[in-house]
Amino acid sequence: NTVITSSAVSAVSTYDNGAWISATRSGDTLSGALTSIESGRAYWVTTTDFTPIKTAVVTQSVSETPPTVQVEEGWNLLPVINITNTNASIGNTLTADTYFGSISWVTAYSYSPVTDVWSKITPNTFATVTVGAGYWVYADAAGELVA
């Protein structure tokens, strides 16, 4: 409720270990099993408008290790986070092979709510992913995505 304050958002969900975790709006409050927003997760947001959800991004200290995201064998809903200075801004693109290079991935899908279109991304095709977006990614082995 601190991060997502728009009354246009009726539900927020994330996918973890084969199960959905969700919060739905009742009056002014989102409530449910999903109680926090974390940088290592991607979220499916149900809303009636396209008002951006803006959050404060904590700066990564040079003494901290880079962020990682646990990946399960099978489908994962993964965020594209980037801590480097090059192309780190929300909306910039990175090559999918580079970003997903630390895991054994088979395919990924992105969704555009504007066009209502799913787009498929496969390895070794020079495809790109967008910083700040989330992707359905199928991994053929468990691993750790290193941002």
Side-chain angles (χ1 to χ4, degrees):
N1 289 300
T2 303
V3 174
I4 300 174
T5 58
S6 172
S7 62
V9 174
S10 60
V12 181
S13 302
T14 191
Y15 191 75
D16 184 37
N17 246 350
W20 285 99
I21 305 168
S22 301
T24 56
R25 183 163 304 285
S26 177
D28 292 336
T29 309
L30 286 165
S31 59
L34 180 63
T35 58
S36 64
I37 302 293
E38 302 169 21
S39 65
R41 294 187 179 277
Y43 296 89
W44 191 272
V45 179
T46 305
T47 182
T48 57
D49 68 20
F50 290 97
T51 303
I53 297 171
K54 297 181 179 183
T55 62
V57 177
V58 178
T59 304
Q60 180 84 20
S61 167
V62 295
S63 64
E64 293 180 84
T65 58
T68 60
V69 178
Q70 293 300 104
V71 175
E72 301 296 325
E73 181 178 351
W75 287 106
N76 296 267
L77 187 56
L78 299 176
V80 176
I81 52 179
N82 187 8
I83 62 164
T84 65
N85 290 333
T86 307
N87 293 327
S89 299
I90 300 293
N92 285 353
T93 59
L94 306 166
T95 63
D97 288 321
T98 299
Y99 186 74
F100 296 130
S102 62
I103 62 172
S104 180
W105 69 292
V106 177
T107 192
Y109 285 93
S110 65
Y111 175 73
S112 170
V114 175
T115 60
D116 193 27
V117 171
W118 288 93
S119 298
K120 184 176 184 174
I121 300 168
T122 54
N124 304 314
T125 59
F126 303 103
T128 59
V129 293
T130 304
V131 176
Y135 292 81
W136 278 110
V137 179
Y138 189 86
D140 58 6
E144 197 167 59
L145 176 66
V146 180

